[in-house]
Amino acid sequence: MIDLNKEKFNMHNKEITLYKSSDTNAPLIVFNTFEGDGEDVYQALQNMDCTSLNLLVIGNIDWNHDMSPWYMPSIYSKEKSFSGGADEYLILLIDDILPKAKEMIDGEPGFTGITGYSLAGLFAVYAMYKTDAFDRVASMSGSLWFHDFIEYCKRNDSRKLPDKIYFSLGDKEANTRNPVLKTVEDNTRELSEYFKNLGSEVIFELNPGNHFTDTILRSAKGIKAIL
């Protein structure tokens, strides 16, 4: 069966899937994904009765490069370092990918949100400081342990303070011997309070399990929360 609401296109090696709403002026939500085309997240949203949205899923991302704001050595011995390509990727997203998606949807988006899981959750928060293109942000199990990130957020002003920000975390994510990852819950709670005090409507949610538990469901819950 052909899904008429699903459109695929490629830009600069990124594999992009747009799940279009049949409603005019439905919100446009960007979801950067580690793998796949996001269909499982889209289906989970449909099951939650979140039907009035355009979901723009971007895949084939150079994860440790595109999603990291600056250089940081790897937290595991066998993995690549984080090479700080977020600014470069954000230009591609704002200048090329988003305009193309907006041409394909019906009407003008009621609002535009940026969302992601893990490093993409970190990137979603970082994007607030670099562009005013996004009205709402959802960071699901965001990598907010990233070196100097909390300090960066507090030292700088966001380009646009989102009217809604969603943070979630697994309740076992901080239970680790890794001293960097151990900070994730404290940092997420601290940022939640920080943005709340600035005037955003902030939702913080603790889910059962570790970082890899129910990633699809958690992603969909985060997107639903900012709709």
Side-chain angles (χ1 to χ4, degrees):
M1 191 174 94
I2 297 171
D3 183 354
L4 297 175
N5 290 332
K6 180 177 179 179
E7 304 242 7
K8 288 185 174 276
F9 61 98
N10 282 39
M11 273 189 169
H12 303 275
N13 295 325
K14 304 294 183 246
E15 294 168 1
I16 302 151
T17 309
L18 176 63
Y19 298 90
K20 289 181 1 184
S21 174
S22 53
D23 296 340
T24 306
N25 304 335
L28 176 62
I29 305 295
V30 175
F31 180 69
N32 290 297
T33 185
F34 182 70
E35 60 186 4
D37 66 2
E39 185 161 345
D40 40 13
V41 173
Y42 180 71
Q43 289 300 342
L45 282 161
Q46 299 293 301
N47 296 342
M48 294 172 179
D49 289 327
C50 298
T51 53
S52 188
L53 84 154
N54 297 289
L55 183 65
L56 181 66
V57 180
I58 303 153
N60 201 35
I61 288 171
D62 185 351
W63 198 244
N64 284 19
H65 181 70
D66 293 342
M67 297 290 103
S68 60
W70 45 80
Y71 175 81
M72 178 181 170
S74 173
I75 48 172
Y76 300 114
S77 56
K78 290 179 181 169
E79 283 192 6
K80 287 196 304 186
S81 293
F82 304 99
S83 47
D87 287 0
E88 187 186 336
Y89 171 66
L90 197 53
I91 291 168
L92 166 66
L93 178 59
I94 300 301
D95 291 354
D96 296 351
I97 297 174
L98 267 182
K100 167 91 170 163
K102 285 179 177 175
E103 284 172 14
M104 297 164 76
I105 65 176
D106 291 333
E108 283 293 314
F111 59 84
T112 304
I114 185 163
T115 67
Y117 199 95
S118 196
L119 264 183
L122 173 84
F123 176 82
V125 178
Y126 179 67
M128 295 163 44
Y129 288 85
K130 293 290 173 171
T131 176
D132 58 6
F134 301 109
D135 307 295
R136 298 181 182 182
V137 170
S139 173
M140 289 75 80
S141 288
S143 303
L144 302 178
W145 43 259
F146 202 86
H147 176 66
D148 205 26
F149 190 71
I150 297 284
E151 294 76 9
Y152 175 87
C153 290
K154 293 186 170 182
R155 269 199 317 267
N156 295 281
D157 292 327
S158 61
R159 291 282 302 279
K160 177 195 275 186
L161 186 68
D163 47 31
K164 274 191 183 178
I165 308 178
Y166 172 90
F167 291 103
S168 73
L169 214 55
D171 59 8
K172 296 187 173 60
E173 291 199 48
N175 301 352
T176 169
R177 290 181 183 167
N178 187 303
V180 177
L181 295 178
K182 220 177 189 40
T183 64
V184 70
E185 188 171 328
D186 288 346
N187 286 4
T188 305
R189 288 181 182 278
E190 189 178 334
L191 262 196
S192 297
E193 283 305 309
Y194 177 69
F195 289 122
K196 197 179 285 181
N197 291 335
L198 288 180
S200 270
E201 182 188 329
V202 178
I203 302 158
F204 172 77
E205 189 166 27
L206 212 53
N207 296 293
N210 64 22
H211 186 69
F212 301 102
T213 309
D214 295 330
T215 58
I216 292 159
L217 183 63
R218 286 190 201 172
S219 296
K221 274 169 70 180
I223 293 168
K224 181 183 180 181
I226 62 166
L227 289 175

